[in-house]
Amino acid sequence: MASGSGTKNMDFRRKWDKDEYEQLAQKRLTEEREKKDGKPVQPPVKRELLRHRDYKVDLESKLGKTIVITKTTPQSEMGGYYCNVCDCVVKDSINFLDHINGKKHQRNLGMSMRVERSTLDQVKKRFEVNKKKMEEKQKDYDFEERMKELREEEEKARAYKKEKQKEKKRKAEEDLIFEDDDEMAAVMGFSGFGSSKKSH
């Protein structure tokens, strides 16, 4: 066996006080943040909840138009869609819609991407409003609209029948004229002017 085994303390590693070093790390982090910002750390900004847009997005005003762009043309008049909140130009309508519905644009407007939770009463009220709208539409359509549609359909059917009758009369008159010509030809001694019809 080895000499002097079991008599000496073999614990030669350094012991660390975890609580002390955790406090030092927190202190260092706060000092770095203060140096970086130049002011003490503040709580995060409270933003508004996401809400409906109160204006119509204009996607069609520049559709099909040509614009001459020079070096001195302002950015808002360049080709594409200009966002005056973020001061940027987006080249097509799909990306513009993505931009105005996106996080960066909403943040510049002062809104977070969180939506207000609706209460049960708000949902019930919305259902009632929508139900009233549907009932009003059905009442408006009701009897008078249906009668107008039926009258129009009847008039179209009558006009179609009249056209058919006129066509039949025209055909009957043309047949009579051809029969008279055949009789006249037979009287004069001609046999149908070379037609394949048999003479009477």
Side-chain angles (χ1 to χ4, degrees):
M1 285 190 99
S3 61
S5 62
T7 56
K8 289 187 178 175
N9 187 4
M10 298 298 285
D11 193 11
F12 55 87
R13 291 187 179 179
R14 189 173 176 185
K15 299 286 185 196
W16 300 96
D17 187 4
K18 290 183 181 178
D19 294 331
E20 181 185 345
Y21 281 98
E22 199 169 307
Q23 288 174 358
L24 287 172
Q26 286 293 332
K27 187 177 178 183
R28 185 172 49 90
L29 282 172
T30 54
E31 286 175 1
E32 284 179 1
R33 284 184 190 147
E34 287 175 6
K35 286 179 185 175
K36 184 179 177 184
D37 297 339
K39 47 189 168 184
V41 179
Q42 297 176 346
V45 178
K46 181 74 176 166
R47 297 183 186 279
E48 291 181 44
L49 294 172
L50 203 60
R51 61 177 187 269
H52 287 288
R53 206 177 288 122
D54 56 353
Y55 60 92
K56 189 175 184 236
V57 179
D58 182 28
L59 296 175
E60 298 168 357
S61 65
K62 293 183 178 180
L63 195 66
K65 294 185 179 178
T66 54
I67 303 170
V68 177
I69 299 172
T70 62
K71 290 180 182 178
T72 58
T73 305
Q75 191 176 12
S76 60
E77 294 175 13
M78 291 277 198
Y81 298 91
Y82 178 72
C83 175
N84 53 3
V85 176
C86 305
D87 190 34
C88 66
V89 175
V90 185
K91 294 296 178 190
D92 59 9
S93 60
I94 294 171
N95 286 338
F96 182 65
L97 285 173
D98 286 344
H99 168 74
I100 62 175
N101 291 329
K103 188 184 278 187
K104 181 182 172 189
H105 182 82
Q106 299 299 335
R107 193 171 282 164
N108 288 343
L109 286 173
M111 288 189 278
S112 68
M113 294 301 284
R114 292 198 177 94
V115 182
E116 180 185 0
R117 284 186 63 93
S118 299
T119 62
L120 182 63
D121 294 332
Q122 289 174 332
V123 173
K124 285 181 179 178
K125 285 178 185 175
R126 177 59 67 90
F127 273 126
E128 288 174 12
V129 168
N130 288 341
K131 192 174 181 181
K132 286 178 184 176
K133 284 181 184 176
M134 292 294 288
E135 288 172 358
E136 287 174 9
K137 284 181 183 177
Q138 288 176 351
K139 286 178 185 175
D140 291 345
Y141 177 73
D142 235 15
F143 186 70
E144 294 174 12
E145 288 288 324
R146 187 69 183 144
M147 288 304 293
K148 282 182 184 178
E149 287 177 7
L150 287 172
R151 285 182 197 133
E152 288 174 5
E153 286 174 12
E154 286 175 5
E155 287 175 13
K156 286 178 184 176
R158 286 178 193 155
Y160 182 73
K161 283 181 182 177
K162 284 182 182 178
E163 280 294 319
K164 283 286 186 185
Q165 287 175 350
K166 285 180 183 177
E167 282 184 38
K168 281 183 183 179
K169 283 183 181 178
R170 269 190 243 127
K171 285 182 181 178
E173 288 174 4
E174 288 174 2
D175 289 343
L176 283 174
I177 292 170
F178 284 127
E179 285 179 13
D180 289 342
D181 288 343
D182 289 341
E183 288 175 13
M184 185 64 74
V187 170
M188 296 179 86
F190 301 117
S191 60
F193 298 110
S195 70
S196 61
K197 269 190 173 179
K198 293 182 180 178
S199 57
H200 299 289

